[in-house]
Amino acid sequence: MIVNSFKGLCRVVLPLYSHKSLSTNILVRHRAALGKHLLGHWRSSTSHGKLVRNGEGKKSVICLEGNIASGKTTCLEYFSKTSDIEVLTEPVSKWRNVQGCNPLGLMYQDPTRWGLTLQTYVQLTMLDQHVSPMTAPIRMMERSIYSAKYIFVENLYKSGKMPEVDFAVLSEWFEWIIKNISLPVDLIVYLQTSPQTCHERLKQRCREEEKVIPLEYLESIHNLYEDWLIHQKSFHVPAPVLVIPADHDLKKMLHQFEENREKILMAR
Ligand SMILES: Nc1ncnc2c1ncn2[C@@H]1O[C@H](COP(=O)(O)OP(=O)(O)O)[C@@H](O)[C@H]1O
Ligand SMILES: O=c1ccn([C@H]2C[C@H](O)[C@@H](COP(=O)(O)O)O2)c(=O)[nH]1
């Protein structure tokens, strides 16, 4: 089921100099250089005066969304066997180890103190993935900078675990990014699960930091996802949404992935 046909528009960035991000170049605006410079992997789009990645128009970006332990990695593993697709898994290993520190673990231990720290790093690493040069015609990436903000930051804030000032700082950063940097998404694939299924799978996966996650946490994340992608009443949805029911056993899920292959890969 495709529940949204809105196509995300690229955003403007007018570059002067390139700033080295974790693995690629992003471009930062400067008045004196409006529209004059074309740097790195980027070019200025003629239609809206926007800067987009070279070849961006011919390629397609699919973001795979879903609750914690809904089966996203398993789905990506399945599609990674297809030629012409590059798969970007969430950089969880970075979130568990940045220069010897574990912001993911710290956040679960004390969300009020460490939520901003984790989500700042999530935002940076997700941005890095969005802007990294594509190595294949189709990119499938796990989650997005959008769900980091609309689901996880929102959840911390709404549950009273993120101070107002932390939320304001993160929000301004996020707004600046989406206003100034082109982050095209062609399709969102939403693995729709019940929180109970995720709780079972989470226990089975047994990631150390996540042992403290109660069912209620997964219920909150689920509700935010449903409001965003199904009811579309909370935040901007940057691309059409393909919903795949994902409570089924592995065999049935693989069958469903195959059934949806065309819809997913024709997302351009
Ligand atoms: N359809 C399924 N049925 C049962 N277990 C599953 C299914 N899909 C994934 N799993 C298992 O559930 C856990 C979480 O899956 P994973 O793909 O890592 O989820 P995510 O990447 O969304 O967090 C893993 O242990 C995985 O092997
Ligand atoms: O913005 C974010 C994104 C993810 N997380 C947490 C949620 C999970 O504990 C891990 C990601 O694991 P998945 O199994 O891929 O859901 O990271 C977060 O806190 N904030």
Side-chain angles (χ1 to χ4, degrees):
M1 168 177 46
I2 297 207
V3 295
N4 171 25
S5 61
F6 179 79
K7 200 79 170 152
L9 294 172
C10 302
R11 300 286 178 171
V12 187
V13 62
L14 300 164
L16 172 64
Y17 54 90
S18 78
H19 163 75
K20 205 76 178 147
S21 75
L22 294 186
S23 71
T24 188
N25 290 326
I26 60 171
L27 294 160
V28 181
R29 177 166 51 181
H30 192 289
R31 272 176 204 284
L34 295 184
K36 284 186 189 161
H37 300 260
L38 305 177
L39 299 172
H41 302 282
W42 301 78
R43 67 181 163 79
S44 176
S45 144
T46 47
S47 55
H48 304 288
K50 293 171 180 174
L51 195 88
V52 293
R53 194 192 294 117
N54 271 330
E56 193 172 82
K58 288 169 252 143
K59 294 183 174 174
S60 117
V61 178
I62 298 129
C63 291
L64 185 59
E65 296 286 354
N67 206 338
I68 303 168
S70 54
K72 300 179 299 297
T73 309
T74 308
C75 175
L76 286 176
E77 215 173 282
Y78 179 77
F79 281 103
S80 69
K81 291 166 193 142
T82 309
S83 60
D84 287 346
I85 295 187
E86 69 168 359
V87 158
L88 301 185
T89 52
E90 259 179 337
V92 180
S93 59
K94 288 184 178 174
W95 307 343
R96 301 174 88 182
N97 183 0
V98 50
Q99 302 186 22
C101 302
N102 181 348
L104 183 70
L106 288 169
M107 187 281 294
Y108 279 124
Q109 291 304 321
D110 186 352
T112 306
R113 169 65 184 84
W114 298 109
L116 174 69
T117 308
L118 173 69
Q119 291 305 145
T120 302
Y121 196 49
V122 169
Q123 190 154 273
L124 171 67
T125 53
M126 291 310 296
L127 174 61
D128 185 57
Q129 290 206 336
H130 279 285
V131 301
S132 66
M134 285 177 68
T135 59
I138 299 170
R139 164 176 288 178
M140 279 185 90
M141 61 184 279
E142 189 173 9
R143 292 217 180 96
S144 59
I145 197 167
Y146 300 101
S147 49
K149 177 65 168 65
Y150 298 154
I151 306 297
F152 289 92
V153 173
E154 186 67 16
N155 186 52
L156 282 165
Y157 180 61
K158 271 182 72 172
S159 62
K161 294 192 178 98
M162 176 173 279
E164 194 86 32
V165 61
D166 292 5
F167 182 71
V169 169
L170 266 172
S171 298
E172 288 215 7
W173 252 120
F174 175 76
E175 293 303 328
W176 188 94
I177 289 166
I178 61 166
K179 185 173 165 206
N180 290 287
I181 303 175
S182 169
L183 306 172
V185 178
D186 297 286
L187 181 71
I188 293 175
V189 176
Y190 174 42
L191 296 186
Q192 190 180 41
T193 48
S194 68
Q196 289 76 9
T197 298
C198 291
H199 202 227
E200 287 308 311
R201 292 180 187 168
L202 186 92
K203 284 189 276 182
Q204 180 191 322
R205 178 171 66 192
C206 210
R207 199 181 266 155
E208 190 56 36
E209 294 85 348
E210 296 176 345
K211 285 182 178 163
V212 295
I213 296 181
L215 177 61
E216 295 72 44
Y217 186 81
L218 298 173
E219 284 169 346
S220 305
I221 298 291
H222 172 79
N223 292 335
L224 285 164
Y225 261 119
E226 293 284 301
D227 284 349
W228 180 40
L229 297 179
I230 301 294
H231 312 304
Q232 306 205 350
K233 64 179 187 190
S234 53
F235 300 105
H236 168 66
V237 182
V241 181
L242 173 69
V243 183
I244 301 183
D247 277 334
H248 308 292
D249 64 26
L250 202 53
K251 189 169 169 223
K252 172 112 195 246
M253 286 315 300
L254 298 184
H255 184 67
Q256 287 202 99
F257 297 151
E258 198 49 46
E259 272 184 347
N260 282 286
R261 176 184 288 278
E262 281 291 290
K263 278 188 209 157
I264 295 171
L265 304 187
M266 297 301 285
R268 267 171 284 185

